[in-house]
Amino acid sequence: MEYKLLAVDMDGTALSDSKELGPRTVEAMERAIANGKTVAFSTGRSISLIRPYIDMVSGMRYAVTSSGASVMDLKTGEKLLYKTIEPETVKYIIAQASGRHVMPVMFMNDESCGTRWCVDNCADFGLKAYEPIYRKCMNIVDDAFNYYMEDPKPIEKLNLFFANDLEAFEVLNALRELPVTFTCVTEHSLEINASGVSKAEGLKVLCARLGISMSECIAAGDSENDEPMLACAGLKVATANATERVKIMADVIAPDCNNEPIAQIIDEYLLA
């Protein structure tokens, strides 16, 4: 099988634990693109939080962001897909989360928005490694919930990170009847998208634009929100640090994210 597209997750996959995109990975991505392949980030982050990495890879044309809510042509700015959560639903989510020790990260209008005291205390929420990119690329406001309520609008994605045990599941139980998709759920976090959103749907839209089949795609990931994308790809790649569920799905187990696994996958499979 000749593979034509590599859809690669970022955190835990293409990026190291210190959130760096290694030089071998950049070189391999650019070499693949120069040889007519499509290499696209497929990430839970907003476009604003991946711009510095896109700028590192010459020729990258497309990105799947916000766990599949948005698919963008980076050259023209065209949105091939854009699915949002309606304001009344967002307001209800905020009402259930307010009053808790929670760090909200909201994606809207291609930007990310967060609360200042939360960013100042990223470590409390298990997000210390993200603090530099938040400070560089996020719209940091006094209170993200109040900021939103002053001007409600559709949003691409809402991340809620909790410092205390059980609160994520308490909020999850209060939100189960909403028309949303929980693209990732952990003991301390909820990632919330519009109903039907997934990285798989984003990848399907991108394949349609390129005129290729899903069987001609390699997908690489490590966590829950990567599972739908892996399930529909022609070659499924998990990093060695991936969850057990992702590893079970995978055709190939690549090195862990600190050892530039994507460079190896490009050389052994995309450019083979």
Side-chain angles (χ1 to χ4, degrees):
M1 169 63 72
E2 178 187 353
Y3 297 108
K4 298 179 179 179
L5 184 155
L6 171 62
V8 57
D9 173 55
M10 296 184 70
D11 298 290
T13 306
L15 304 185
S16 67
D17 287 336
S18 57
K19 307 306 175 188
E20 295 176 346
L21 189 65
R24 286 197 301 117
T25 303
V26 172
E27 187 277 333
M29 286 180 166
E30 291 183 338
R31 186 157 34 85
I33 292 167
N35 278 276
K37 307 294 185 180
T38 298
V39 178
F41 288 131
S42 182
T43 177
R45 297 186 184 207
S46 68
I47 191 70
S48 63
L49 294 179
I50 69 169
R51 282 290 183 190
Y53 301 101
I54 291 170
D55 292 343
M56 293 174 66
V57 184
S58 178
M60 183 174 284
R61 178 71 183 265
Y62 300 98
V64 178
T65 63
S66 299
S67 295
S70 179
V71 180
M72 181 180 287
D73 182 327
L74 301 171
K75 183 177 181 180
T76 67
E78 179 189 0
K79 295 268 183 45
L80 311 183
L81 176 69
Y82 194 65
K83 296 191 70 172
T84 56
I85 308 171
E86 290 303 310
E88 290 306 311
T89 300
V90 179
K91 291 178 187 178
Y92 184 83
I93 295 170
I94 289 173
Q96 300 306 311
S98 294
R100 301 175 185 271
H101 198 51
V102 61
M103 177 174 179
V105 178
M106 311 177 79
F107 301 159
M108 47 193 170
N109 293 337
D110 297 329
E111 296 184 346
S112 56
C113 177
T115 298
R116 182 167 288 104
W117 75 266
C118 294
V119 175
D120 290 342
N121 295 278
C122 275
D124 291 353
F125 302 93
L127 298 171
K128 183 64 177 175
Y130 292 84
E131 185 176 345
I133 194 71
Y134 287 166
R135 292 196 181 280
K136 182 177 182 179
C137 299
M138 178 181 280
N139 178 20
I140 300 174
V141 299
D142 288 338
D143 186 308
F145 285 158
N146 286 344
Y147 177 82
Y148 179 83
M149 295 300 288
E150 290 173 359
D151 183 22
K153 61 191 68 174
I155 68 171
E156 301 159 35
K157 185 181 178 186
L158 172 57
N159 290 348
L160 299 174
F161 301 100
F162 299 88
N164 300 324
D165 292 339
L166 301 179
E167 287 197 315
F169 292 119
E170 290 174 357
V171 174
L172 175 64
N173 286 333
L175 304 180
R176 288 192 183 278
E177 301 304 316
L178 293 180
V180 296
T181 296
F182 296 96
T183 42
C184 190
V185 175
T186 75
E187 292 181 352
H188 291 277
S189 68
L190 301 175
E191 297 187 13
I192 308 169
N193 285 92
S195 180
V197 165
S198 73
K199 288 186 179 182
E201 292 305 308
L203 185 56
K204 289 175 184 176
V205 168
L206 180 52
C207 284
R209 164 56 68 94
L210 297 172
I212 65 176
S213 70
M214 299 290 279
S215 65
E216 295 174 297
C217 300
I218 302 172
D222 73 301
S223 64
E224 181 182 352
N225 70 353
D226 298 312
E227 292 175 15
M229 174 177 72
L230 293 172
C232 64
L235 184 71
K236 307 164 180 50
V237 177
T239 51
N241 53 278
T243 66
E244 287 306 310
R245 281 173 55 101
V246 169
K247 288 180 182 178
I248 289 169
M249 296 177 67
D251 301 309
V252 176
I253 305 296
D256 67 58
C257 65
N258 294 313
N259 287 285
E260 303 207 57
I262 299 308
Q264 178 177 319
I265 293 302
I266 288 172
D267 284 333
E268 292 188 4
Y269 296 97
L270 187 61
L271 290 177

